[in-house]
Amino acid sequence: MKTNLSNNPRKIMLSAGEVSGDSHGQTLVYELRKLFPDAYFFGLGSEKLLAEGVDIKCDIVRRGTIGIFETLPNVIPVFFAYLKMVDLMKKEQPDVLILIDSQGINMPLARAAKKLGIKTVYYIAPQEWLWGTEKGVKKVAKTIDLIVAIFAKEYEIYKKAGAKVIYSGHPLVDSVKAELAAEAVRKNLLGNIKGPIIALCPGSRLQEIRGLLPLLLKAGELIKAEIPDANFIIPAASTEMIKEIFDLIGDFRPQAVVGHTYDILAAADVALCASGTINLEASLLDTPNIMVYKLNPLTYFVGKYILKIGEKLRYFSMPNILLNEAAIPELVMKEAYPNKIAQTALRIIKGPKKEQDKLKTAFAKLRNQLGEPGVVARTARAIADFIG
């Protein structure tokens, strides 16, 4: 017989070090509050978790990076955040530590929690199952008490490695919805414009914005030269990031908006995107999108020739990986230059309807792979039973 969870006040600690993790954490906390209305939620996060009433003790969202050498400038600030979180664990002795994405800080935190006898749940777990090694997979399986898989294949691999793992589906199934119709986006956000809409999505990390936005802006200028009535809009991930965006915009001035990402993506004729969750989000909204990515050359060299990531995977973007086909264009490293980005976008915008229909068929197949709605509620119930 299950206990009445609402009669057992809990301390639930969270750790989300990046914008996407902060967002996923918000929806999870919303569902957990229904099961633990008296719980104290606290830990590492940013504005989304704060808005959900989580007591944020530490915020490292601005420190989010991807790559090996790119992380070096942030090592010391992140290490101090780690120390602060460990002290919090010792002081508060939470019933559970829920880790969300951000493998760089969260795996060390998981090991610290294990030594302190604190249960751990990993939501948006390390992608060792995808990019890493069998040894890495086993390390995650051994360290984490409960892994919440968001892909069916991820579930199978961690299960085989001996992990306690559940699969409820991908949380984007619940959250990726446009609230405004395309015409409302044109009227309310872009001033009742007529031509095609191109969304510029440079990512949520400062490193990505600084590295990719100038390329996307230059590509935008080239597209504008071919299609004079084209309209450009940047769906900013947070108020913090929009400041950085405005510093980089320069003479080519697209709109930049916070809080309407899915509306903008759904209304766009094409989205030029950093590699990441945004490719999956755009695809779920039936929006043609192009993955554009550049890494530090040393990071790319290590990934390709030492870690041999290219031999493990044919594709880099999650839609293509899941579909096992080149549904969306991938422009990586030497291919990620303004002329190539612009040409690829123009082919999509001006392309025949049969190509658009083929893409929509691929996106429908992708949606079917990610589970049924109610993902986050099912996940919250599974975590509640685990804490129980």
Side-chain angles (χ1 to χ4, degrees):
M1 180 178 175
K2 290 185 181 179
T3 58
N4 183 347
L5 297 175
S6 64
N7 292 332
N8 292 303
R10 301 290 189 180
K11 289 182 178 181
I12 299 177
M13 189 174 185
L14 298 109
S15 177
E18 295 183 304
V19 170
S20 61
D22 189 52
S23 183
H24 285 304
Q26 181 186 33
T27 56
L28 180 62
V29 170
Y30 175 80
E31 294 295 339
L32 284 172
R33 280 199 189 281
K34 298 176 184 177
L35 304 171
F36 299 105
D38 301 321
Y40 170 49
F41 292 87
F42 68 101
L44 184 147
S46 196
E47 52 189 55
K48 294 289 182 69
L49 280 171
L50 184 64
E52 200 55 48
V54 176
D55 185 2
I56 298 300
K57 302 291 188 181
C58 195
D59 184 347
I60 58 168
V61 159
R62 287 183 62 83
R63 301 292 176 180
T65 54
I66 189 168
I68 300 168
F69 300 96
E70 292 88 339
T71 64
L72 294 178
N74 296 314
V75 167
I76 292 175
V78 171
F79 178 66
F80 280 117
Y82 162 80
L83 293 178
K84 186 172 183 178
M85 289 287 283
V86 173
D87 284 342
L88 268 173
M89 276 193 275
K90 291 176 180 176
K91 178 184 173 185
E92 297 289 349
Q93 287 295 306
D95 294 279
V96 66
L97 169 63
I98 300 175
L99 308 150
I100 308 169
D101 211 348
S102 304
Q103 179 177 352
I105 188 170
N106 281 338
M107 281 304 293
L109 283 175
R111 290 190 287 271
K114 198 172 189 71
K115 290 178 182 176
L116 294 169
I118 295 167
K119 292 180 180 179
T120 55
V121 173
Y122 216 130
Y123 182 48
I124 323 294
Q127 291 188 335
E128 289 289 343
W129 65 277
L130 186 62
W131 311 104
T133 62
E134 185 178 348
K135 183 179 178 182
V137 169
K138 288 180 178 177
K139 186 178 290 186
V140 174
K142 184 178 179 182
T143 305
I144 307 301
D145 295 313
L146 176 66
I147 295 173
V148 179
I150 60 173
F151 299 107
K153 188 173 181 182
E154 175 190 16
Y155 168 82
E156 293 165 6
I157 290 173
Y158 277 127
K159 185 80 173 174
K160 186 178 178 182
K164 181 177 177 62
V165 57
I166 62 164
Y167 171 66
S168 302
H170 199 294
L172 291 182
V173 170
D174 291 345
S175 61
V176 177
K177 300 182 184 82
E179 295 180 3
L180 296 177
E183 285 309 309
V185 171
R186 287 176 173 273
K187 182 178 178 181
N188 300 341
L189 301 182
L190 287 167
N192 215 18
I193 48 83
K194 298 296 182 185
I197 297 173
I198 294 94
L200 307 180
C201 309
S204 58
R205 301 176 180 97
L206 287 177
Q207 163 208 346
E208 292 173 318
I209 292 169
R210 290 167 181 168
L212 289 181
L213 186 55
L215 295 177
L216 300 187
L217 292 171
K218 183 62 180 173
E221 291 179 6
L222 296 171
I223 294 168
K224 186 81 171 174
E226 286 282 327
I227 308 177
D229 63 350
N231 305 274
F232 300 85
I233 187 165
I234 304 171
S238 69
T239 52
E240 189 69 35
M241 299 308 171
I242 205 166
K243 297 173 189 174
E244 190 74 22
I245 288 167
F246 281 133
D247 287 342
L248 292 168
I249 281 177
D251 294 332
F252 183 71
R253 302 196 66 79
Q255 295 272 30
V257 179
V258 177
H260 288 279
T261 298
Y262 296 152
D263 296 328
I264 292 165
L265 286 176
D269 294 273
V270 65
L272 313 183
C273 305
S275 174
T277 305
I278 192 74
N279 303 119
L280 205 50
E281 291 168 322
S283 300
L284 289 174
L285 290 165
D286 275 344
T287 301
N289 59 101
I290 302 166
M291 189 208 83
V292 183
Y293 217 73
K294 275 201 169 185
L295 288 167
N296 179 302
L298 286 174
T299 297
Y300 183 74
F301 177 85
V302 171
K304 183 174 182 179
Y305 297 104
I306 298 178
L307 300 180
K308 299 187 184 299
I309 287 172
E311 294 179 12
K312 300 172 189 176
L313 295 169
R314 292 174 62 192
Y315 305 108
F316 290 94
S317 66
M318 193 55 73
N320 289 353
I321 290 168
L322 293 175
L323 292 168
N324 196 30
E325 63 176 278
I328 67 170
E330 296 182 349
L331 305 180
V332 180
M333 296 303 287
K334 64 182 181 180
E335 296 250 301
Y337 61 94
N339 280 355
K340 181 78 170 181
I341 298 167
Q343 288 166 11
T344 307
L346 287 166
R347 277 200 304 272
I348 291 171
I349 295 168
K350 296 180 176 181
K353 186 177 181 296
K354 65 179 182 179
E355 289 299 318
Q356 302 276 350
D357 292 341
K358 181 181 176 183
L359 195 55
K360 287 186 178 181
T361 300
F363 289 161
K365 183 179 173 185
L366 180 67
R367 274 194 298 277
N368 290 336
Q369 289 190 31
L370 298 180
E372 297 296 322
V375 171
V376 184
R378 290 194 295 272
T379 298
R381 285 194 296 272
I383 292 173
D385 288 343
F386 173 70
I387 298 171

